[in-house]
Amino acid sequence: MAQISAPKGTQDILPRDSGRWLQVENIIRELCAQYGFREIRTPVFEHTEVFVRGVGETTDVVTKEMYTFEDKGGRSVTLRPEGTAGIVRAFVENGLFNEALPTKLYYLIQCFRYEKPQKGRLREFHQFGVELFGAPDPITDATVISLPYRLFQKVGLRGISLELNSIGCKECRGKYREALISYFEKDQEKLCPTCRERLEKNPMRILDCKSEICREVAKDAPLITDYLCGDCEAHFTAVKDYLTTMGIEYKVNPRIVRGLDYYNRTVFEFVSDQIGAQGTVCGGGRYDGMTEQFGGAPQPGIGFAMGMERFMLVLEQAGVELPAERSCDLFLIPLGDNACKEAVKLTARLLDEGAKVQYDLLRRSVKAQMKYADKIGAACTAVLGDSELEEGTVTVKNMLNGNQEKIALSALNSKWLEEFIK
Ligand code: ATP
Ligand code: MG
């Protein structure tokens, strides 16, 4: 039969890479725990309305990129294109605001967007993100921003810059909107069709357009930072001060508006110049009041999402080596039926003690088994033959330094093994 290939824009993460993913995920989980963020898991699909309300009707995600379909019950459902909307839905629905505030949540999830696949842009991809509810103070913004910053530091990544902006509140944006419309109106016919539509519905979106021509037209557009009200200005200044206090460098980029409709005040991106056009590894911002979109009481919120594929690309590009986990402590090489039985017993004991132990399943020659042990990266091997069994001993070989030691079978335990590998 003919082979079937994976759908366009998807990617298998094979065992040779999944170890690295797991390591990075473990670092992320540990860091989140340090900050007091706890994991939330929401459904992979939601009622389509969740994303229309939560991401915003005029966004690229909602207008062009969603995997939406009708289920057998005739409901419109959508595979999540991002994490925040579903989490805000869950926050309101489960009354998490009744528990200790602020609520600190994190997620590691798959997302789905119908996009043109390129390097760092897939149709199924992974995001790590956090959401923090109930804290309006600028100290919160800086704290949330410090988490990805600390993650980059922790894995030894340099050359990722933090770009920061404030897009104000409804009031600031009302005035800014007017200014943008009168700026873009004169060059209306030069804009791409999508941006022409945006001009009426959401002119700020034009600043986020990837088309070269629209970028050129937007070159001298008014800057939101010139339209901030007193409160928003003070908030922005305080966020910057806290970042400075934390020793975190940033660059104010008044052109960052972010792709999702619900942001207000602080928005930010961590950008790498190492992986080409798709350089934004992490983006986030404040979304006060989004809970109201889901029928909840107003709650301030702030968060970010990091593209894991892009993060992995940057790590690879930078040659970052993560301490590799040992895949196998001991590989047993039994010769004959009796030896196989002994291997099974010994392995059961060592597994229960916490060691990573495997044995041959194919009754291959010693040489072939040795080769296999080497391929899987076993730290030690031990041949179990008739003479060893009679003696009740076993000779363990350290594959890393070549040392050998003969010990009583009964003395071979995980503690001894750990010492021997060191
Ligand atoms: P872009 O401008 O690159 O399309 P975006 O603004 O659509 O990004 P967000 O919705 O803010 O992205 O998602 C947060 C992060 O998720 C991005 O910064 C990026 O690292 C990652 N990401 C977004 N879309 C994709 C995708 N299709 N494939 C892989 N990673 C993605
Ligand atoms: Mg996008």
Side-chain angles (χ1 to χ4, degrees), residues 118-185:
Q118 303 159 56
K119 188 179 178 191
R121 190 176 294 286
L122 292 122
R123 290 184 174 172
E124 182 189 29
F125 62 101
H126 296 75
Q127 280 188 344
F128 153 55
V130 317
E131 316 293 352
L132 195 154
F133 295 98
D137 196 276
I139 194 173
T140 316
D141 308 46
T143 304
V144 166
I145 293 171
S146 77
L147 199 158
Y149 175 85
R150 182 153 280 111
L151 174 62
F152 300 142
Q153 298 279 313
K154 199 165 175 167
V155 297
L157 260 187
R158 301 280 172 276
I160 295 200
S161 50
L162 167 59
E163 305 200 353
L164 188 68
N165 192 21
S166 172
I167 56 168
C169 59
K170 271 202 195 92
E171 202 186 301
C172 322
R173 282 203 300 274
K175 288 183 204 137
Y176 183 53
R177 191 190 143 90
E178 297 305 311
L180 278 181
I181 292 177
S182 57
Y183 174 85
F184 282 116
E185 254 174 353

Side-chain angles (χ1 to χ4, degrees), residues 61 65 82 113 115 120-123 125-127 208 210 258-260 263 269 278 280-283 305-310:
V61 169
E65 297 169 0
E82 55 95 60
R113 295 186 191 178
E115 300 207 65
R121 190 176 294 286
L122 292 122
R123 290 184 174 172
F125 62 101
H126 296 75
Q127 280 188 344
D208 211 30
K210 303 222 160 49
R258 306 277 313 131
L260 314 181
Y263 286 111
E269 291 184 351
Q278 267 64 248
T280 305
V281 178
C282 172
M306 181 180 297
M308 289 296 288
E309 280 77 6
R310 291 190 198 175

